Amino acid sequence: MKEKLDKAIECFKKKDWNGAIDLFTSIVEVEPDNAEIYNNLGLCYANLGDDEKAEKNYLKCIELNPKIPQSYINLVDIYYKQHRLGEGINTLSYAIDMLPDDLIFRHYLARFYIEDAKRDLAVDELEYILDKQPENFDAYYDLARVYFDLGNYDSAIENLENVLEFKQDNEWIYYYLAEAYQANDEIDKAISNFLKAIATNNKFSIPYKKVAILFMARGDYEDAVEYLEDYLNFDIPEEEKSKVSALIDSIKKKIGANEE
């Protein structure tokens, strides 16, 4: 049986999913209570795109041994993909009961709650995680996005600033932080973070237009033109290019009028 298992694992590593399925299936025919083999079968079927058989095998694994963390993760990945949020939430709640010290389940649960628009419940789970793992920057990020959706921009900003303690070279974090400052009417800080997003990745197109609009609203027309012209150098739709070009012309006319 060990030789057969080694061959099955070899097939799995080579992504020979059908070969691995044949070998794993022959093993469970002899060892019907081998939970890990059912999890492996589930992974093979998932890689073949057969989510129905994958789900069946993950459920069998959990039934035989509810202490295998990966089987829950594999199963709820299917539920998330298929937007079966209620089943995912129930599965993760059961996983937490079985493995209460494994915080990954609470993080997955928070993301299911977010998707299901149960944001207050998501906040509870994420704050629980951060109480246990105060350096979990993924939890800070998710919590920030929840607070942003709830309109609590101060808390969104606080949590994004916490993320920056761990990830200072991520343009998206600066971008989301800028959006939160903008929503909170802190325009100077919004501009600063849009510019940091650009400095981190000058090929990141979105903040160029965003910061230009803020410069324009603040009356810094020359800066607005500069960043809009930079934005035009990106691969953006022709309709968008036409609108931005017209906006640049309008701003330049305003600059000219002010100079007169």
Side-chain angles (χ1 to χ4, degrees):
M1 195 59 62
K2 183 182 182 304
E3 182 180 350
K4 191 173 287 189
L5 178 60
D6 289 343
K7 287 182 179 179
I9 293 172
E10 185 178 345
C11 286
F12 189 94
K13 289 179 179 178
K14 292 179 178 178
K15 299 184 179 181
D16 176 9
W17 311 121
N18 287 310
I21 286 169
D22 289 341
L23 288 162
F24 284 134
T25 300
S26 67
I27 293 172
V28 295
E29 286 173 355
V30 179
E31 300 178 8
D33 295 332
N34 192 326
E36 291 186 0
I37 299 299
Y38 284 103
N39 184 59
N40 292 341
L41 275 168
L43 286 168
C44 291
Y45 281 118
N47 279 293
L48 286 172
D50 192 337
D51 287 343
E52 184 177 347
K53 287 184 179 177
E55 178 186 357
K56 179 181 177 181
N57 280 280
Y58 295 144
L59 287 169
K60 185 65 176 178
C61 173
I62 292 169
E63 176 189 336
L64 291 170
N65 184 356
K67 301 287 188 179
I68 298 178
Q70 193 58 44
S71 58
Y72 294 103
I73 302 302
N74 295 335
L75 179 58
V76 298
D77 279 344
I78 291 175
Y79 292 152
Y80 193 86
K81 180 174 68 175
Q82 296 180 352
H83 206 69
R84 294 160 63 183
L85 303 178
E87 289 167 275
I89 289 168
N90 289 338
T91 298
L92 289 164
S93 298
Y94 180 69
I96 291 168
D97 287 341
M98 293 296 103
L99 298 159
D101 295 328
D102 201 331
L103 295 179
I104 187 64
F105 299 128
R106 290 187 178 273
H107 207 151
Y108 268 81
L109 183 57
R111 288 175 175 172
F112 269 81
Y113 282 143
I114 293 169
E115 190 71 16
D116 204 26
K118 297 176 179 176
R119 295 183 180 88
D120 290 342
L121 294 176
V123 168
D124 290 343
E125 296 299 333
L126 292 166
E127 288 185 340
Y128 181 93
I129 292 166
L130 289 168
D131 183 59
K132 303 290 184 183
Q133 295 178 340
E135 297 186 355
N136 189 327
F137 61 83
D138 283 330
Y140 283 119
Y141 173 80
D142 285 338
L143 190 56
R145 299 307 293 166
V146 174
Y147 278 131
F148 187 92
D149 290 341
L150 288 170
N152 186 341
Y153 303 122
D154 285 331
S155 293
I157 289 165
E158 179 185 351
N159 282 281
L160 286 168
E161 293 283 7
N162 285 333
V163 176
L164 285 175
E165 292 184 18
F166 306 98
K167 294 182 76 68
Q168 297 179 349
D169 58 349
N170 188 304
E171 64 271 23
W172 280 103
I173 302 303
Y174 288 121
Y175 176 80
Y176 288 133
L177 187 55
E179 282 199 319
Y181 276 123
Q182 183 178 353
N184 211 37
D185 292 325
E186 297 180 70
I187 302 305
D188 288 347
K189 290 182 178 179
I191 288 173
S192 174
N193 280 280
F194 280 132
L195 292 175
K196 287 176 183 177
I198 292 168
T200 303
N201 180 1
N202 62 13
K203 298 185 185 304
F204 183 32
S205 64
I206 308 173
Y208 284 88
K209 183 179 179 182
K210 291 273 191 175
V211 77
I213 298 299
L214 291 183
F215 276 135
M216 186 173 64
R218 202 171 67 174
D220 297 335
Y221 299 123
E222 291 183 359
D223 287 332
V225 168
E226 177 186 347
Y227 282 93
L228 286 172
E229 288 179 338
D230 288 341
Y231 179 63
L232 285 177
N233 292 325
F234 290 97
D235 184 18
I236 57 178
E238 287 301 320
E239 183 179 355
E240 171 77 349
K241 282 189 176 183
S242 296
K243 290 180 180 178
V244 172
S245 295
L247 180 58
I248 290 171
D249 290 341
S250 174
I251 297 171
K252 285 182 175 178
K253 287 178 182 177
K254 188 171 289 189
I255 293 172
N258 289 342
E259 289 175 350
E260 292 175 5

